[in-house]
Amino acid sequence: MTPSETQQQLRQLPSVDELLRQSQLASIATTSAHSLLVECARETLWSIREQIRSGQTSPPLADIAARVYALFQQRQRPSLRPVINATGVIINTNLGRAPLSQESLQAIGSVALGYANLEYDLGQGERGSRHTHVRALLCELTGAEDALVANNNAAAVLVVLSALAVGREVIISRGQLVEIGGGFRVPDVLRQSGARLVEVGTTNRTRLPDYETAITTETALLLQVHPSNFLITGFTESVSLEALAELAHSRGLLAVADLGSGCLLDSARFGLAHEPTPQESIAAGADIVCFSGDKLLGGPQAGIILGKRELISRIARHPLMRAIRIDKLTLAGLETTLRHYQRHEAPERIPIWRMIAATPETLDQRARQWMAQLRNWGIRAEVVEGQSTIGGGSLPDETLPTALLAINANSAKSEESRNSAEGQEHPRSPLDALASRLRAGEPPVVARILRDRLLLDPRTVLPEQDQALLAALRSALANKPAS
């Protein structure tokens, strides 16, 4: 455009007031959200002015109003939102790890609506401890003498080392100095606690004499750490917790186990490798055991500390416990999750165990129902065999057979993308564009792309989400807003 044409385009842009009188915006303009709507209108007009100055033409008034409305809706939308996890990763850290059972959600809602006896002993009519709400359950389920709960497992490990090993040595195998998600490194936690790290053995082989030789008068404890999402195979050797605890006790030391993922069920029952359980670790002689609440336990985020009564008492008195203590909502969800185990109903009530226990036949049936619905809409899709993973640093390299709904690149092309692909310097692939539209929908759907196909795994999609998933797919494939 010539400079005069550019100026003419700029002069024709509507004012903010004119925009707010458009039917799509008028009803909002009279509400308490008026100031946000004005801000969105100004931002949209500024963006369009920049487009005009770069040589583009001004869109029609109705399109400008639609852009304002879309921006307003985006600004109104909560940042933290529910999503449909179709990735096949059961404990998906980026998507919030373990979903809670309906009973846990109800317990949280009940406690959140009013006051609760968080630190009040109703029987005695005096101040109590928040840890009493889950202490007896944890001891019953694991055989521990006592229990504490922090706000996550990293905090649990930190306070244990701070209370029991500050200024002294902690001996650990080199093969267990791992880093897990978010840059969390075991050596960093050890240093932060004030303990001194002593590494023994090699990356792949550590023997009991390695620990024994490293013990000095400065040693406080022997630490065993679950490798999380790290797996060493081949020429390997490690020391059992039972042998480690026996050595520690023979030298007047403590044995501490960081299990990472708290698995109270025998994972081998579900076709997986055996994951060490807290109850096994207590029986093996560990003085303190730590693990997460939101991994294989299937509860809310928490760091659970089990062990000898005297040691738990020392940890509870440490000043750091105040900073990392668990809140009433998490306690409500955790207690209800633990009661599922107490009642022997975890595989039926806890979502991650329902997902793990789902049979390939059931998953194939659901995937074929999805496929049939898409084909009714004229969308080509197929069902293929695949693998689900546990995730969340639990059972590394372990998978479960599943059935996947697969959409190829040609089916992923929306009408709009077919018409607009020409002339784009670096057009996105149809699958990337489809995955992006699914993530932008309501609710967002997160899938994965592999070998030129977009894949959706029914194992991690809750059955009650099936209709929402299909609606999101239909909208994304047509490139239309989800209704």
Side-chain angles (χ1 to χ4, degrees), residues 335-415:
E335 180 185 3
T336 307
T337 300
L338 293 171
R339 292 207 180 277
H340 289 315
Y341 290 97
Q342 184 189 44
R343 301 179 188 124
H344 305 287
E345 62 186 20
E348 295 78 33
R349 308 308 301 172
I350 296 178
I352 64 157
W353 286 107
R354 286 168 51 199
M355 294 174 186
I356 290 171
T359 64
E361 294 76 19
T362 300
L363 298 171
D364 182 77
Q365 183 181 25
R366 286 181 64 200
R368 291 190 182 280
Q369 289 172 347
W370 296 354
M371 178 185 67
Q373 186 62 72
L374 290 183
R375 287 183 174 179
N376 287 340
W377 294 333
I379 301 166
R380 285 179 292 175
E382 59 180 327
V383 173
V384 299
E385 294 181 352
Q387 298 292 321
S388 309
T389 58
I390 305 303
S394 306
L395 294 162
D397 217 30
E398 286 291 305
T399 60
L400 292 166
T402 190
L404 305 168
L405 179 71
I407 300 172
N408 63 32
N410 190 56
S411 297
K413 292 180 181 178
S414 68
E415 290 302 319

Side-chain angles (χ1 to χ4, degrees), residues 154 157-158 161 177-180 182-195 197:
V157 175
L158 178 62
L161 295 175
L177 294 175
V178 296
E179 175 181 318
I180 60 175
F184 172 83
R185 293 182 171 186
V186 170
D188 294 341
V189 175
L190 276 162
R191 281 190 290 270
Q192 189 65 37
S193 71
L197 171 67

Side-chain angles (χ1 to χ4, degrees), residues 60-320:
L61 178 58
D63 289 354
I64 297 175
R67 285 175 59 172
V68 173
Y69 182 76
L71 182 59
F72 174 80
Q73 291 292 95
Q74 179 184 333
R75 296 287 172 81
Q76 290 279 86
R77 182 180 292 165
S79 176
L80 182 62
R81 293 187 288 152
V83 305
I84 294 177
N85 174 18
T87 65
V89 181
I90 296 171
I91 305 172
N92 195 313
T93 297
N94 294 338
L95 301 183
R97 291 188 177 166
L100 300 180
S101 71
Q102 287 296 322
E103 293 84 354
S104 292
L105 293 176
Q106 291 166 6
I108 291 171
S110 177
V111 166
L113 283 172
Y115 297 103
N117 61 325
L118 176 64
E119 291 186 345
Y120 186 76
D121 187 324
L122 293 172
Q124 298 298 320
E126 59 188 27
R127 184 181 179 88
S129 168
R130 65 183 61 205
H131 297 289
T132 59
H133 303 292
V134 294
R135 177 181 285 127
L137 270 172
L138 285 168
C139 293
E140 176 187 341
L141 292 169
T142 66
E145 291 181 7
D146 206 349
L148 275 176
V149 185
N151 58 15
N152 63 29
N153 192 46
V157 175
L158 178 62
V159 73
V160 166
L161 295 175
S162 298
L164 304 181
V166 64
R168 301 184 65 192
E169 296 172 347
V170 171
I171 302 177
I172 184 173
S173 167
R174 283 189 175 88
Q176 296 171 7
L177 294 175
V178 296
E179 175 181 318
I180 60 175
F184 172 83
R185 293 182 171 186
V186 170
D188 294 341
V189 175
L190 276 162
R191 281 190 290 270
Q192 189 65 37
S193 71
R196 300 199 302 275
L197 171 67
V198 177
E199 305 172 29
V200 297
T202 63
T203 302
N204 61 319
R205 304 200 83 178
T206 301
R207 302 179 179 90
L208 194 63
D210 295 324
Y211 290 95
E212 192 167 11
T213 303
I215 293 173
T216 71
T217 56
E218 292 296 305
T219 304
L221 59 87
L222 309 184
L223 177 63
Q224 186 181 86
V225 175
H226 189 286
S228 183
N229 48 11
F230 178 56
L231 187 66
I232 302 176
T233 59
F235 194 58
T236 65
E237 188 173 349
S238 60
V239 179
S240 70
L241 180 58
E242 187 173 14
L244 200 66
E246 185 177 348
L247 171 62
H249 297 158
S250 71
R251 303 291 290 271
L253 306 175
L254 301 176
V256 175
D258 172 14
L259 295 183
S261 182
C263 186
L264 292 180
L265 298 180
D266 180 5
S267 54
R269 287 172 45 194
F270 304 89
L272 298 166
H274 178 71
E275 179 80 355
T277 66
Q279 52 268 41
E280 290 171 345
S281 300
I282 292 293
D287 298 290
I288 293 291
V289 176
C290 303
F291 56 93
S292 295
D294 57 348
K295 293 184 178 180
L296 283 173
L297 186 70
Q301 177 181 296
I304 298 166
I305 308 169
L306 308 172
K308 301 291 177 59
R309 186 171 292 106
E310 187 272 330
L311 298 176
I312 293 293
S313 180
R314 283 169 57 186
I315 297 166
R317 292 194 302 269
H318 194 277
L320 188 56

